[in-house]
Amino acid sequence: MAIERTLSIVKPDAVRKNHIGGVLAKLEGAGLTIIGAKLIKLSQEQAGAFYGVHRERSFFQELVDFMTSGPIMVQVLEGENAILRNREVMGATDPAKAEAGTIRAEYGADIGENAVHGSDAPDTARTEIAFFFAESELQSR
Ligand code: CMP
């Protein structure tokens, strides 16, 4: 199986509730290795650019306002099948539909405040990692 990299974000709701450690423990527990991480606060421009594919959606401004409402923790995860593995441990986008034991089931409140983001495919993973990290900031191992 291929070793992949994917971008993961602990969103402002989970950071506010002191769940950074809980989220990262679940990611590491799923066999994913953190090879880069930073705590940052996005500007409206940065959040709008990151979620640019959703620009025409009704919830776009709500999403941007939420993602800029406090610090986020961004990390690059590496491992076998990392993109799918991360999505499995995150659970469904709507926490009400997420399987028990997943991050969103445990830490998410609703479809907007859903604790985490994860890249959904290899091309978006590449783009999203490059949005936050230079290659020199990643410690592959
Ligand atoms: P994420 O994985 O970060 O990718 C896009 C985000 O848009 C998604 O998680 C949700 O948090 C958010 N989102 C999707 N649908 C809605 C909605 N109906 N209302 C508010 N936010 C939404």
Side-chain angles (χ1 to χ4, degrees):
M1 208 164 280
I3 299 292
E4 291 177 336
R5 290 177 177 183
T6 190
L7 185 84
S8 162
I9 303 178
V10 184
K11 294 186 177 183
D13 57 328
V15 173
R16 259 192 296 277
K17 294 173 192 162
N18 266 353
H19 290 319
I20 293 175
V23 170
L24 298 189
K26 280 196 183 282
L27 297 174
E28 291 189 326
L32 294 160
T33 301
I34 298 164
I35 63 164
K38 54 179 89 164
L39 186 71
I40 57 170
K41 190 163 184 297
L42 292 177
S43 66
Q44 289 260 325
E45 291 69 27
Q46 287 172 314
F50 182 78
Y51 280 116
V53 295
H54 297 303
R55 203 168 285 279
E56 303 307 322
R57 309 284 281 273
S58 59
F59 58 80
F60 177 72
Q61 192 55 47
E62 188 186 331
L63 175 61
V64 168
D65 288 345
F66 168 58
M67 289 301 291
T68 56
S69 67
I72 60 171
M73 182 89 186
V74 289
Q75 49 278 328
V76 177
L77 309 174
E78 190 175 70
E80 276 186 9
N81 227 5
I83 297 168
L84 184 63
R85 196 171 282 200
N86 180 41
R87 292 182 70 77
E88 284 171 354
V89 70
M90 285 195 303
T93 305
D94 182 351
K97 295 180 184 152
E99 249 182 73
T102 61
I103 293 168
R104 282 167 169 161
E106 208 149 309
Y107 301 126
D110 56 46
I111 196 161
E113 304 208 358
N114 63 355
V116 280
H117 167 82
S119 309
D120 63 1
D123 55 336
T124 45
R126 255 189 308 276
T127 311
E128 291 182 359
I129 290 169
F131 189 92
F132 290 108
F133 294 92
E135 184 61 35
S136 59
E137 295 177 295
L138 303 177
Q139 318 299 328
S140 218
R141 57 197 197 276

